[in-house]
Amino acid sequence: MLKKILSAILCSVLVVAMAVPVFAVAASNQTIYAYAGSSGCGVLNRYGSGAIAAGQTISIYPYLQNSPDQKWNLLDAGNGNNYIVISSKPSLALNLYGVPVNPGASQMKLAYPCTLQPYTAYPSDTTIRLEGSPSSRYFWLTKNNLGYYYLRADRSAVSSTSDVLWFQSASALNDKWKIGAGY
Amino acid sequence: MKKLIILIICTFFFTACAKEQASIDIPIEQKGLEIICNPLFAYPLQSSNKNGMYETSDRGDGSYSLSYLDFETKQNLYLCSQPNCAHDNENCTAYLMTGGSEVYPMATDNELLLQYIGNENEFNKTKNKIYLPHIEMLTSQGTEKKTIVEFSPEEFIFGAYAYNGEVLCYLSTISNQDDFTVYDEQSVYCTNVTTGKTTRLVKAGPNEKILIYGALNDELIIKKTITPDIKTLQGEDIYQQMYELTEFELIRFNVYTKEEQLIMKYGADEYIDIIWDNYWFGLKTLDNGEQSLEKMDLLNNKRTTILPKMPSSDSEYFLSRIIDNQLLINGSPKRGISREEFRFAVDINNGKTKNISTKALANGTIRPLNIVAQSKDSLVVEVGTKEINVKTKGQDGTLTNYKKLVAERAFVSKHDYLNSSENYTFVNYLE
């Protein structure tokens, strides 16, 4: 219970803090945090403990200052594309793992896990394009090929831990991301 | 007497000139610059020279191990010559303390360089210099380690490295922010590894980004991306507008004289390009939506079309690497149900294409083999996965045993690979 209250307080503080800066990010080597949803309480986070490694999954988790699990870099992949790599191990990027979590679903509703993998080995599963506008304060993270998969925090409430999956359509609030340099 | 004075003056001038020459730091036996690491195109935890491949791997306790795959014996072993060594402390040449962040080997024929990405968290906790981003130089056997460049904690050193045995060039990025924008300060620096003298070769201007894209003789090929000022754009599709207005420049920079020369300039979506050795390759988007493949010899800037039309307009292509004058290209369907990737080789001299059908399961999908190294005659490829037992000892001395899924690697001759033969010789892993 105490943990939930603390999470709620932290989330409220972060929402207020987020109201100040608006970040415009273009492809580069910038260090970023990616905030999920329009209210943006949680950030893109390496799920698990111990050493960061290929194959690990991605979650949303409340912002923790200087956590190596939450610090990412946007690498320029050329032609308007990017890789989103984890800062302490920049060979590893956000990746679409090719086994769906809901294999019986129709093609449009298939969802794929977001994991960490070397982008050099799997460029087609790690190349991402950012869309949107800084004034609307969010970004769409778009898979550049394979039918445009979008990165989604797969819960309606994104204020706590949440799975991050790739979906083929973008319509939900949880497909929106804000990118900033931290607090 | 007059002659003597003239002689003295001449001697003085010649001496002065010679001194001025020496300060340019041109190596006596000068090799051309070579790209020794390019993390945008090759997995940076592996690096090979003509004899073998160095590889670092995470031990899970804040350190990395350094191993070596000998191309001749086909054996993979820790880069350590001590008998019965557990490879778990800094007295071992195969043990690299990093604070948990990555360390990239960069092999040349004569030495090994190690680039530490750095771990700011560990640095702030311990104020220990080894956790800052830095570069070390070692012998090929991993001995005589010395730090040749140190960076500040806020520097993100990531990108290609070019080296000629004397001068090491690299890209430094520092992210800053104001109320509206996160922006980068990017520079390419060159360090004389003997004297430690570092000079800035090029600095990106406002709304510019730079990459080391290739190297040739005394020159770096820099790719410059020039974007419009985002504050001047309006609407809901600012990033699309910004991309459409982006321009790219390929520029030569002489690392000694700092002379620069524009090679070519192109717009967004015009080319997907790479540089391999002394060639630039570009997939050009044509007006009808088709793509063609061009090459340019960087020795004379002569550009030719290799393939007037790519095999399919419904595929996304990635230019990969060159094996014996064959450019490997990966393709994947742009949309639709099929996600199956494919690979083919294009002869860079006559445009003949050849499908390469060998594939393996990786990242949840059957796909073309991952090539991790190439020697004179062979390739090292990943043909599947296998489970191995791993033993690690934490900094507190606790021993941990766990199973780890790793890639199964094998040698295949270049000829066999280009003919889709599965004539593999598996790598022999030694403890």
Side-chain angles (χ1 to χ4, degrees):
Chain A
M1 185 62 188
L2 181 64
K3 204 174 168 187
K4 279 187 179 170
I5 293 169
L6 286 173
S7 275
I9 293 169
L10 182 61
C11 182
S12 311
V13 171
L14 295 184
V15 169
V16 173
M18 293 252 337
V20 183
V22 176
F23 297 104
V25 180
S28 68
N29 288 347
Q30 288 152 353
T31 302
I32 58 161
Y33 293 85
Y35 305 91
S38 66
S39 60
C41 302
V43 298
L44 207 56
N45 175 81
R46 186 279 306 227
Y47 179 74
S49 57
I52 295 168
Q56 291 176 335
T57 56
I58 306 300
S59 67
I60 299 298
Y61 199 77
Y63 170 77
L64 300 167
Q65 194 173 20
N66 275 330
S67 166
D69 291 336
Q70 300 181 345
K71 216 167 171 181
W72 305 85
N73 286 78
L74 268 181
L75 288 193
D76 186 350
N79 295 76
N81 297 324
N82 303 269
Y83 303 115
I84 297 185
V85 300
I86 196 152
S87 294
S88 67
K89 298 196 170 172
S91 69
L92 300 176
L94 294 184
N95 162 74
L96 181 149
Y97 180 67
V99 178
V101 294
N102 52 348
S106 65
Q107 179 67 23
M108 282 301 288
K109 290 189 176 172
L110 279 179
Y112 292 89
C114 181
T115 64
L116 290 172
Q117 283 293 348
Y119 57 84
T120 49
Y122 312 116
S124 62
D125 290 338
T126 51
T127 305
I128 286 170
R129 188 169 282 200
L130 303 178
E131 293 175 4
S133 157
S135 61
S136 59
R137 302 182 65 191
Y138 60 79
F139 286 82
W140 301 83
L141 299 181
T142 308
K143 198 71 182 53
N144 188 43
N145 61 358
L146 309 178
Y148 295 102
Y149 280 82
Y150 288 78
L151 196 62
R152 178 183 298 177
D154 190 30
R155 297 270 174 88
S156 53
V158 290
S159 58
S160 60
T161 55
S162 175
D163 292 328
V164 174
L165 299 169
W166 296 97
F167 282 87
Q168 201 164 16
S169 63
S171 56
L173 173 69
N174 299 344
D175 295 328
K176 298 174 182 174
W177 302 83
K178 280 183 262 198
I179 292 181
Y183 301 106
Chain B
M1 183 63 186
K2 201 174 172 184
K3 279 184 183 171
L4 182 64
I5 289 169
I6 290 169
L7 184 67
I8 291 168
I9 290 170
C10 282
T11 309
F12 173 77
F13 274 111
F14 276 118
T15 309
C17 284
K19 200 172 179 185
E20 191 62 34
Q21 274 290 334
S23 72
I24 300 175
D25 285 337
I26 293 177
I28 297 160
E29 251 186 87
Q30 194 177 304
K31 290 192 301 181
L33 284 161
E34 284 177 34
I35 298 292
I36 55 168
C37 168
N38 191 348
L40 283 178
F41 295 112
Y43 188 49
L45 276 72
Q46 299 153 346
S47 177
S48 41
N49 59 20
K50 64 184 179 190
N51 300 315
M53 180 180 83
Y54 295 87
E55 181 168 28
T56 56
S57 50
D58 193 353
R59 290 166 40 87
D61 63 350
S63 69
Y64 274 66
S65 58
L66 177 59
S67 60
Y68 179 70
L69 172 61
D70 190 310
F71 288 158
E72 195 173 318
T73 63
K74 298 180 173 49
Q75 290 179 337
N76 192 86
L77 63 171
Y78 285 106
L79 193 70
C80 167
S81 58
Q82 298 177 63
N84 304 316
C85 181
H87 317 299
D88 60 358
N89 65 73
E90 287 183 88
N91 293 323
C92 170
T93 48
Y95 178 92
L96 309 170
M97 177 46 76
T98 72
S101 57
E102 290 181 328
V103 52
Y104 302 153
M106 300 186 284
T108 74
D109 287 340
N110 303 313
E111 64 257 297
L112 175 66
L113 291 102
L114 294 173
Q115 190 221 329
Y116 293 74
I117 288 293
N119 188 328
E120 199 184 336
N121 296 319
E122 287 296 321
F123 174 71
N124 287 331
K125 205 162 63 185
T126 64
K127 295 291 175 196
N128 192 330
K129 281 175 76 174
I130 65 168
Y131 299 120
L132 288 177
H134 66 284
I135 298 170
E136 291 174 345
M137 180 178 276
L138 307 81
T139 63
S140 299
Q141 292 74 38
T143 57
E144 299 175 35
K145 190 184 287 185
K146 62 177 181 184
T147 298
I148 54 169
V149 199
E150 285 180 319
F151 306 102
S152 59
E154 65 270 19
E155 278 181 284
F156 184 59
I157 307 296
F158 196 76
Y161 280 76
Y163 183 56
N164 65 0
E166 181 97 9
V167 173
L168 179 70
C169 301
Y170 47 86
L171 174 69
S172 162
T173 303
I174 298 175
S175 289
N176 297 304
Q177 66 180 85
D178 58 24
D179 286 347
F180 187 74
T181 310
V182 182
Y183 59 94
D184 289 347
E185 197 178 298
Q186 286 190 308
S187 297
V188 170
Y189 292 96
C190 294
T191 297
N192 183 309
V193 299
T194 310
T195 64
K197 186 182 166 192
T198 297
T199 51
R200 177 152 59 193
L201 183 67
V202 54
K203 183 182 180 187
N207 303 313
E208 287 181 355
K209 292 169 211 80
I210 49 177
L211 282 175
I212 295 176
Y213 220 52
L216 195 67
N217 300 327
D218 293 344
E219 294 170 332
L220 290 185
I221 313 291
I222 303 280
K223 184 172 181 178
K224 190 183 274 186
T225 305
I226 306 151
T227 52
D229 185 347
I230 196 159
K231 291 172 190 167
T232 64
L233 304 175
Q234 290 182 332
E236 289 302 307
D237 61 347
I238 280 179
Y239 286 95
Q240 186 60 28
Q241 291 177 48
M242 192 163 78
Y243 177 62
E244 284 169 5
L245 295 168
T246 295
E247 290 185 322
F248 303 95
E249 289 180 352
L250 283 184
I251 309 167
R252 298 170 186 276
F253 280 88
N254 186 299
V255 299
Y256 296 108
T257 65
K258 295 193 178 182
E259 280 173 42
E260 61 175 275
Q261 182 196 22
L262 180 70
I263 302 170
M264 65 183 289
K265 192 171 185 166
Y266 48 100
D269 279 335
E270 205 174 335
Y271 284 107
I272 295 169
D273 60 352
I274 62 164
I275 289 177
W276 191 274
D277 292 337
N278 58 319
Y279 288 108
W280 168 91
F281 298 95
L283 271 175
K284 184 179 176 125
T285 304
L286 306 172
D287 291 341
N288 59 5
E290 304 274 3
Q291 285 181 303
S292 64
L293 179 64
E294 294 180 5
K295 82 168 177 187
M296 176 167 51
D297 186 340
L298 292 167
L299 291 169
N300 55 22
N301 288 4
K302 191 179 168 195
R303 218 185 308 177
T304 49
T305 298
I306 305 175
L307 269 183
K309 188 180 158 188
M310 293 298 282
S312 162
S313 58
D314 293 328
S315 294
E316 188 91 29
Y317 293 107
F318 295 88
L319 304 178
S320 177
R321 62 165 68 215
I322 289 187
I323 298 169
D324 288 350
N325 290 328
Q326 305 287 316
L327 174 63
L328 301 191
I329 300 178
N330 285 4
S332 61
K334 277 182 183 167
R335 296 171 195 208
I337 292 172
S338 169
R339 296 187 64 244
E340 192 165 336
E341 283 191 35
F342 54 92
R343 177 177 289 164
F344 61 99
V346 181
D347 189 306
I348 64 168
N349 295 317
N350 59 27
K352 280 188 182 165
T353 60
K354 186 187 275 187
N355 182 45
I356 297 172
S357 60
T358 45
K359 293 186 179 183
L361 179 66
N363 202 27
T365 312
I366 301 287
R367 61 181 72 228
L369 303 183
N370 188 28
I371 299 170
V372 297
Q374 63 175 304
S375 66
K376 189 167 172 282
D377 306 310
S378 301
L379 302 176
V380 181
V381 292
E382 294 182 340
V383 296
T385 52
K386 66 174 184 180
E387 206 171 56
I388 59 164
N389 291 313
V390 179
K391 280 182 258 177
T392 60
K393 191 161 111 183
Q395 283 164 312
D396 60 353
T398 317
L399 277 170
T400 313
N401 291 301
Y402 63 96
K403 288 188 188 306
K404 189 178 173 186
L405 203 62
V406 296
E408 177 95 75
R409 290 182 183 156
F411 284 83
V412 60
S413 75
K414 290 180 179 176
H415 178 269
D416 282 344
Y417 179 77
L418 292 169
N419 287 288
S420 302
S421 163
E422 296 183 347
N423 188 14
Y424 301 134
T425 305
F426 287 91
V427 171
N428 183 15
Y429 287 87
L430 302 179
E431 282 294 315

